[in-house]
Amino acid sequence: MSYSLLAPGPVNLHPEVRRILSLPMIHHRTPEFDAILARTLTGLKKIFVTNRPVFMHTSTGTGGMEALLVNTLSPGDKVLAVVSGKFGERWAQMAAAYGGDVTTLNVSWGKAVDPKEIRRHLEQQPDTRLVLTQACETSTGVLHPIQEIAAITRELPGTLLLVDGITAVGALPLPMDEWGIDGLVAGSQKAFMLPTGLSFTCFSAKAWPVVEKASTPRYYFDVRAELAANQKGETFFSSPVPLIRALDWVLSDVENSGGLSKLHQTIERRARMTRFFAERADLTLFAAENPSSSLTALTLPVGFDGQKIRQRLEDRYQLTIMGGQDQAKGRILRIGHMGHITDAEMLRLYDAIGECLQDVGVPGWTDDRRRLIHADMERWIQEDTL
Ligand SMILES: *Cc1c(COP(=O)(O)O)cnc(C)c1O
């Protein structure tokens, strides 16, 4: 039985990515790497669906969130932060740490933010400089209505919309320029199907004058310096050559396999497959509205410990998925739909979840039921092909 990483990031790697990561190291100031850098910086624009420059940072996704902030925030600026889960909390705390005057818009876990509430706040506090939100809140599996939020902020010349798209960019439609998103961040270990270690940011034309003037001290994440370096065909600092070489392959593979929309469809199909399983298994989605296609959070029957089930999946089946955090701890299972995943791996996961539920004594689970569900899932996979 082989190991599968089916978490909502980090994700399973394609064998070709693993091969590329093991190649001999080359220096980042070489003609060979220059060509890779130029190609990847151009290719990233297609994934962000933008004509603006996209920046690469050697950091986890959180570093990219920080890059968006330090380049647009001036201490004392009013910030509205949507907090609907763990990652929203993190960004609000970060903005406060950098001296932002932060108001949080708290949304119950499992719900999507109501754009009307954002509009109301911005009408009451018209000098709000930044609106922060996740596209997909990975701790709950909810997708926020970014297009509608952007339609509000794009009418306001002094307000920028910064979006944490770490489990959205590449996974589902989020066209930055078309929708009017002002700052967008993505991370390598999610839809980009790479190990952790790269983050990507992009700033709109509306945001750039703010970037030029923002008074937060910055150095490592100063995108003005990064842009100047990129325009000379270089990076500001040393580049993580293996990761960028692998990114180059992923971008070309996406292109050669039907483009961005095909990648979206592939991920969306895994989400539909998982929702079908949930229905058959009588498990409800934790996302009461707008479930994201990049991951699915399943609510466990009351009284059964999700931590234990997760541990069992790991120990007995060599399958890694995630549990819940904080208030959702022990109550949910989070299954990722990004990365290099075969149908057989998804099926093995559903089977294993069924066995675990039966083993821990969830009522209604029998060998017969598991066999029926397995057959249903096989049929779904055969009929619903891309
Ligand atoms: C994964 C993730 C992050 C980044 O986490 P890192 O551990 O810093 O890479 C940020 N926001 C969201 C929504 C995420 O899913």
Side-chain angles (χ1 to χ4, degrees), residues 208-258:
W208 198 257
V210 180
V211 170
E212 297 277 7
K213 288 197 311 267
S215 62
T216 297
R218 52 194 140 145
Y219 193 88
Y220 186 72
F221 286 127
D222 190 337
V223 291
R224 297 167 301 182
E226 194 64 45
L227 180 65
N230 289 171
Q231 282 169 342
K232 284 188 289 180
E234 296 172 354
T235 46
F236 192 16
F237 304 111
S238 302
S239 296
V241 170
L243 283 175
I244 297 176
R245 218 161 22 185
L247 171 66
D248 187 29
W249 182 82
V250 167
L251 293 173
S252 71
D253 184 56
V254 168
E255 196 63 22
N256 298 334
S257 334

Side-chain angles (χ1 to χ4, degrees), residues 13-25 193-195 240-247:
L13 303 180
H14 191 285
E16 184 60 10
V17 166
R18 283 156 44 190
R19 189 193 66 80
I20 290 169
L21 290 172
S22 68
L23 292 175
M25 187 64 182
M193 303 176 274
L194 297 169
V241 170
L243 283 175
I244 297 176
R245 218 161 22 185
L247 171 66

Side-chain angles (χ1 to χ4, degrees), residues 60-62 65 87 90 134 136 138 164 166-167 189-190 196:
T60 73
T62 306
M65 294 161 75
F87 293 101
R90 181 182 298 181
Q134 275 52 51
C136 166
T138 316
D164 167 359
I166 295 178
T167 40
Q189 80 272 33
K190 311 277 167 103
T196 313

Side-chain angles (χ1 to χ4, degrees), residues 13 21 51 53 93 102 106 157 216 226 239 285 320 376:
L13 303 180
L21 290 172
N51 288 316
Q93 282 166 8
V102 180
N106 295 303
T216 297
E226 194 64 45
S239 296
L285 302 194
T320 299
D376 284 348

